PDB file of all heavy atoms in Angstrom:
ATOM      1  N   PHE K  22      42.858  29.590  91.806  1.00  0.00           N
ATOM      2  CA  PHE K  22      42.908  29.952  90.383  1.00  0.00           C
ATOM      3  C   PHE K  22      44.232  29.530  89.742  1.00  0.00           C
ATOM      4  O   PHE K  22      44.259  29.130  88.579  1.00  0.00           O
ATOM      5  CB  PHE K  22      42.674  31.459  90.226  1.00  0.00           C
ATOM      6  CG  PHE K  22      41.240  31.852  90.470  1.00  0.00           C
ATOM      7  CD1 PHE K  22      40.908  32.785  91.441  1.00  0.00           C
ATOM      8  CD2 PHE K  22      40.215  31.272  89.720  1.00  0.00           C
ATOM      9  CE1 PHE K  22      39.574  33.147  91.666  1.00  0.00           C
ATOM     10  CE2 PHE K  22      38.886  31.627  89.935  1.00  0.00           C
ATOM     11  CZ  PHE K  22      38.562  32.562  90.916  1.00  0.00           C
ATOM     12  N   GLY K  23      45.325  29.600  90.511  1.00  0.00           N
ATOM     13  CA  GLY K  23      46.627  29.211  89.968  1.00  0.00           C
ATOM     14  C   GLY K  23      46.654  27.740  89.573  1.00  0.00           C
ATOM     15  O   GLY K  23      47.039  27.380  88.458  1.00  0.00           O
ATOM     16  N   GLU K  42      44.645  19.117  96.880  1.00  0.00           N
ATOM     17  CA  GLU K  42      44.056  20.310  97.505  1.00  0.00           C
ATOM     18  C   GLU K  42      43.567  19.984  98.919  1.00  0.00           C
ATOM     19  O   GLU K  42      42.798  19.044  99.118  1.00  0.00           O
ATOM     20  CB  GLU K  42      42.906  20.833  96.635  1.00  0.00           C
ATOM     21  CG  GLU K  42      42.028  21.894  97.291  1.00  0.00           C
ATOM     22  CD  GLU K  42      42.778  23.128  97.772  1.00  0.00           C
ATOM     23  OE1 GLU K  42      43.364  23.826  96.931  1.00  0.00           O
ATOM     24  OE2 GLU K  42      42.787  23.390  98.996  1.00  0.00           O
ATOM     25  N   ALA K  43      43.992  20.808  99.858  1.00  0.00           N
ATOM     26  CA  ALA K  43      43.615  20.587 101.259  1.00  0.00           C
ATOM     27  C   ALA K  43      42.130  20.860 101.499  1.00  0.00           C
ATOM     28  O   ALA K  43      41.495  20.230 102.359  1.00  0.00           O
ATOM     29  CB  ALA K  43      44.456  21.472 102.168  1.00  0.00           C
ATOM     30  N   THR K  50      41.535  30.820  97.972  1.00  0.00           N
ATOM     31  CA  THR K  50      41.155  31.986  98.784  1.00  0.00           C
ATOM     32  C   THR K  50      39.652  32.106  98.944  1.00  0.00           C
ATOM     33  O   THR K  50      39.145  32.370 100.040  1.00  0.00           O
ATOM     34  CB  THR K  50      41.674  33.269  98.091  1.00  0.00           C
ATOM     35  OG1 THR K  50      43.092  33.324  98.250  1.00  0.00           O
ATOM     36  CG2 THR K  50      41.049  34.520  98.672  1.00  0.00           C
ATOM     37  N   TRP K  53      38.060  29.445 101.217  1.00  0.00           N
ATOM     38  CA  TRP K  53      38.353  29.546 102.651  1.00  0.00           C
ATOM     39  C   TRP K  53      37.782  30.815 103.291  1.00  0.00           C
ATOM     40  O   TRP K  53      37.328  30.803 104.423  1.00  0.00           O
ATOM     41  CB  TRP K  53      39.873  29.563 102.873  1.00  0.00           C
ATOM     42  CG  TRP K  53      40.587  28.284 102.554  1.00  0.00           C
ATOM     43  CD1 TRP K  53      41.343  28.028 101.448  1.00  0.00           C
ATOM     44  CD2 TRP K  53      40.643  27.090 103.345  1.00  0.00           C
ATOM     45  NE1 TRP K  53      41.871  26.756 101.508  1.00  0.00           N
ATOM     46  CE2 TRP K  53      41.449  26.159 102.674  1.00  0.00           C
ATOM     47  CE3 TRP K  53      40.081  26.718 104.591  1.00  0.00           C
ATOM     48  CZ2 TRP K  53      41.723  24.885 103.172  1.00  0.00           C
ATOM     49  CZ3 TRP K  53      40.344  25.449 105.089  1.00  0.00           C
ATOM     50  CH2 TRP K  53      41.152  24.551 104.382  1.00  0.00           C
ATOM     51  N   ASP K  62      38.843  43.393  95.786  1.00  0.00           N
ATOM     52  CA  ASP K  62      38.994  44.832  95.605  1.00  0.00           C
ATOM     53  C   ASP K  62      39.644  45.178  94.256  1.00  0.00           C
ATOM     54  O   ASP K  62      40.071  46.297  94.044  1.00  0.00           O
ATOM     55  CB  ASP K  62      39.655  45.522  96.801  1.00  0.00           C
ATOM     56  CG  ASP K  62      40.965  44.908  97.185  1.00  0.00           C
ATOM     57  OD1 ASP K  62      41.596  44.315  96.320  1.00  0.00           O
ATOM     58  OD2 ASP K  62      41.357  45.036  98.369  1.00  0.00           O
ATOM     59  N   TYR K  68      39.142  41.017  87.488  1.00  0.00           N
ATOM     60  CA  TYR K  68      39.547  39.900  88.344  1.00  0.00           C
ATOM     61  C   TYR K  68      38.892  38.625  87.821  1.00  0.00           C
ATOM     62  O   TYR K  68      37.915  38.112  88.384  1.00  0.00           O
ATOM     63  CB  TYR K  68      39.166  40.157  89.805  1.00  0.00           C
ATOM     64  CG  TYR K  68      39.767  39.130  90.751  1.00  0.00           C
ATOM     65  CD1 TYR K  68      41.092  39.224  91.159  1.00  0.00           C
ATOM     66  CD2 TYR K  68      39.022  38.045  91.187  1.00  0.00           C
ATOM     67  CE1 TYR K  68      41.651  38.266  91.996  1.00  0.00           C
ATOM     68  CE2 TYR K  68      39.577  37.088  92.023  1.00  0.00           C
ATOM     69  CZ  TYR K  68      40.889  37.206  92.423  1.00  0.00           C
ATOM     70  OH  TYR K  68      41.448  36.251  93.249  1.00  0.00           O
ATOM     71  N   VAL K 115      49.366  18.160 100.984  1.00  0.00           N
ATOM     72  CA  VAL K 115      50.733  17.719 100.670  1.00  0.00           C
ATOM     73  C   VAL K 115      51.609  18.060 101.865  1.00  0.00           C
ATOM     74  O   VAL K 115      51.601  19.196 102.360  1.00  0.00           O
ATOM     75  CB  VAL K 115      51.248  18.407  99.384  1.00  0.00           C
ATOM     76  CG1 VAL K 115      52.745  18.164  99.205  1.00  0.00           C
ATOM     77  CG2 VAL K 115      50.471  17.903  98.178  1.00  0.00           C
ATOM     78  N   MET K 443      46.032  39.608  90.961  1.00  0.00           N
ATOM     79  CA  MET K 443      46.631  38.267  90.993  1.00  0.00           C
ATOM     80  C   MET K 443      46.202  37.402  89.810  1.00  0.00           C
ATOM     81  O   MET K 443      46.901  36.473  89.429  1.00  0.00           O
ATOM     82  CB  MET K 443      46.261  37.568  92.303  1.00  0.00           C
ATOM     83  CG  MET K 443      46.826  38.235  93.534  1.00  0.00           C
ATOM     84  SD  MET K 443      48.568  37.877  93.773  1.00  0.00           S
ATOM     85  CE  MET K 443      48.487  36.326  94.622  1.00  0.00           C
TER      86      MET K 443
HETATM   87  P1  FAD L   1      44.897  30.341  96.641  1.00  0.00           P
HETATM   88  O1  FAD L   1      43.623  30.823  96.155  1.00  0.00           O
HETATM   89  O2  FAD L   1      45.349  30.734  97.992  1.00  0.00           O
HETATM   90  O3  FAD L   1      44.864  28.759  96.547  1.00  0.00           O
HETATM   91  C1  FAD L   1      45.881  27.976  97.076  1.00  0.00           C
HETATM   92  C2  FAD L   1      45.295  26.651  97.480  1.00  0.00           C
HETATM   93  O4  FAD L   1      46.365  25.782  97.824  1.00  0.00           O
HETATM   94  C3  FAD L   1      44.382  26.727  98.687  1.00  0.00           C
HETATM   95  O5  FAD L   1      43.131  26.240  98.368  1.00  0.00           O
HETATM   96  C4  FAD L   1      45.068  25.853  99.725  1.00  0.00           C
HETATM   97  O6  FAD L   1      44.153  25.097 100.470  1.00  0.00           O
HETATM   98  C5  FAD L   1      45.925  24.967  98.869  1.00  0.00           C
HETATM   99  N1  FAD L   1      47.107  24.484  99.565  1.00  0.00           N
HETATM  100  C6  FAD L   1      48.086  25.214 100.145  1.00  0.00           C
HETATM  101  N2  FAD L   1      49.009  24.404 100.678  1.00  0.00           N
HETATM  102  C7  FAD L   1      48.602  23.134 100.429  1.00  0.00           C
HETATM  103  C8  FAD L   1      49.145  21.858 100.726  1.00  0.00           C
HETATM  104  N3  FAD L   1      50.297  21.704 101.381  1.00  0.00           N
HETATM  105  N4  FAD L   1      48.462  20.770 100.314  1.00  0.00           N
HETATM  106  C9  FAD L   1      47.294  20.884  99.629  1.00  0.00           C
HETATM  107  N5  FAD L   1      46.745  22.085  99.327  1.00  0.00           N
HETATM  108  C10 FAD L   1      47.390  23.179  99.724  1.00  0.00           C
HETATM  109  N6  FAD L   1      43.902  39.243  94.975  1.00  0.00           N
HETATM  110  C11 FAD L   1      43.625  40.191  94.069  1.00  0.00           C
HETATM  111  O7  FAD L   1      44.258  40.252  93.014  1.00  0.00           O
HETATM  112  N7  FAD L   1      42.606  41.076  94.297  1.00  0.00           N
HETATM  113  C12 FAD L   1      41.871  41.038  95.424  1.00  0.00           C
HETATM  114  O8  FAD L   1      41.006  41.863  95.612  1.00  0.00           O
HETATM  115  C13 FAD L   1      42.151  40.048  96.401  1.00  0.00           C
HETATM  116  N8  FAD L   1      41.429  39.963  97.533  1.00  0.00           N
HETATM  117  C14 FAD L   1      41.751  39.014  98.452  1.00  0.00           C
HETATM  118  C15 FAD L   1      41.013  38.940  99.615  1.00  0.00           C
HETATM  119  C16 FAD L   1      41.328  38.006 100.575  1.00  0.00           C
HETATM  120  C17 FAD L   1      40.520  37.913 101.805  1.00  0.00           C
HETATM  121  C18 FAD L   1      42.434  37.158 100.382  1.00  0.00           C
HETATM  122  C19 FAD L   1      42.834  36.154 101.424  1.00  0.00           C
HETATM  123  C20 FAD L   1      43.169  37.221  99.223  1.00  0.00           C
HETATM  124  C21 FAD L   1      42.832  38.139  98.242  1.00  0.00           C
HETATM  125  N9  FAD L   1      43.542  38.220  97.056  1.00  0.00           N
HETATM  126  C22 FAD L   1      43.214  39.157  96.124  1.00  0.00           C
HETATM  127  C23 FAD L   1      44.650  37.315  96.783  1.00  0.00           C
HETATM  128  C24 FAD L   1      44.139  35.943  96.323  1.00  0.00           C
HETATM  129  O9  FAD L   1      44.751  35.029  97.148  1.00  0.00           O
HETATM  130  C25 FAD L   1      44.486  35.741  94.856  1.00  0.00           C
HETATM  131  O10 FAD L   1      43.812  36.702  94.093  1.00  0.00           O
HETATM  132  C26 FAD L   1      44.136  34.371  94.279  1.00  0.00           C
HETATM  133  O11 FAD L   1      42.886  33.922  94.686  1.00  0.00           O
HETATM  134  C27 FAD L   1      45.235  33.380  94.591  1.00  0.00           C
HETATM  135  O12 FAD L   1      45.024  32.192  93.906  1.00  0.00           O
HETATM  136  P2  FAD L   1      46.063  31.015  94.102  1.00  0.00           P
HETATM  137  O13 FAD L   1      45.548  29.859  93.334  1.00  0.00           O
HETATM  138  O14 FAD L   1      47.421  31.481  93.786  1.00  0.00           O
HETATM  139  O15 FAD L   1      46.087  30.728  95.654  1.00  0.00           O
END
Side-chain angles (χ1 to χ4, degrees):
F22 287 123
E42 168 57 63
T50 287
W53 292 104
D62 54 26
Y68 189 80
V115 169
M443 296 283 276

